[in-house]
Amino acid sequence: AQTVTQSQPEMSVQEAETVTLSCTYDTSESDYYLFWYKQPPSRQMILVIRQEAYKQQNATENRFSVNFQKAAKSFSLKISDSQLGDAAMYFCAYNRGKLIFGQGTELSVKP
Amino acid sequence: DAGITQSPRHKVTETGTPVTLRCHQTENHRYMYWYRQDPGHGLRLIHYSYGVKDTDKGEVSDGYSVSRSKTEDFLLTLESATSSQTSVYFCAISAFTSGFTDTQYFGPGTRLTVL
């Protein structure tokens, strides 16, 4: 069965600095999607970034980028120039017909 | 932002009463989902729908039923609410592309408290 693991329950970053959140997953499939979702205190689940497994190029969305290592089954999220509004719970997720979430990483941003 | 609304956004009810939560989408997506989110459990799938009147169970479906009579609406019903169903409920939608479902977009959530 597919699993998603986020090994960092909590992370902290200084405002304007860069932080990387880790995610690993387990699958025997070759075609799938990977996502990072952000959940701020409002509890809204917000899509941050999407990666298609058959694309080697790492996805980017403004200050957010991923390091997708398919062979290693690793999918980390890098947040550059961190802002106070980036403080939230971040979930890594795998999708191949069923969306499977990691347990989340709570990110705090220090002013 | 994906056009997904949930109603009500907050509800307090008593044990044993029926409760219906509504999810409405304006994206015409084929797939709709209901999740619950509890501390220590992340998001867990309750039921999902892959078309009008086509639904299936998720991993925590006991005590819940769903209905989808129109593409845009997906209802979640707690026939007789229990305190263990106190949770935050999220609706999600997705399109179907490339042989399986694509990105899921989430509604704002409904906080349900069962006393």
Side-chain angles (χ1 to χ4, degrees), chain B residues 64-83:
Chain B
Y64 302 95
S65 63
V66 291
S67 65
R68 191 170 178 196
S69 58
K70 297 185 291 185
T71 298
E72 58 266 35
D73 289 326
F74 192 34
L75 304 181
L76 176 70
T77 298
L78 292 66
E79 300 290 348
S80 179
T82 67
S83 58

Side-chain angles (χ1 to χ4, degrees), chain A residues 37 39 43-44 50 95, chain B residues 37 90 101-104 111:
Chain A
Y37 286 91
Q39 188 175 40
R43 287 194 171 267
Q44 173 80 53
R50 169 183 177 271
N95 184 20
Chain B
Q37 185 178 32
F90 287 97
T101 54
D102 201 329
T103 308
Q104 288 191 23
R111 181 180 292 276

Side-chain angles (χ1 to χ4, degrees), chain B residues 21 33-37 43-48 56-66 74 76-78 87-90:
Chain B
L21 308 183
Y33 310 81
W34 278 108
Y35 292 88
R36 60 178 289 173
Q37 185 178 32
L43 282 96
R44 294 182 290 175
L45 181 64
I46 304 171
H47 282 280
Y48 68 98
D56 205 349
K57 296 179 180 180
E59 60 180 308
V60 290
S61 59
D62 287 348
Y64 302 95
S65 63
V66 291
F74 192 34
L76 176 70
T77 298
L78 292 66
S87 187
V88 179
Y89 291 85
F90 287 97

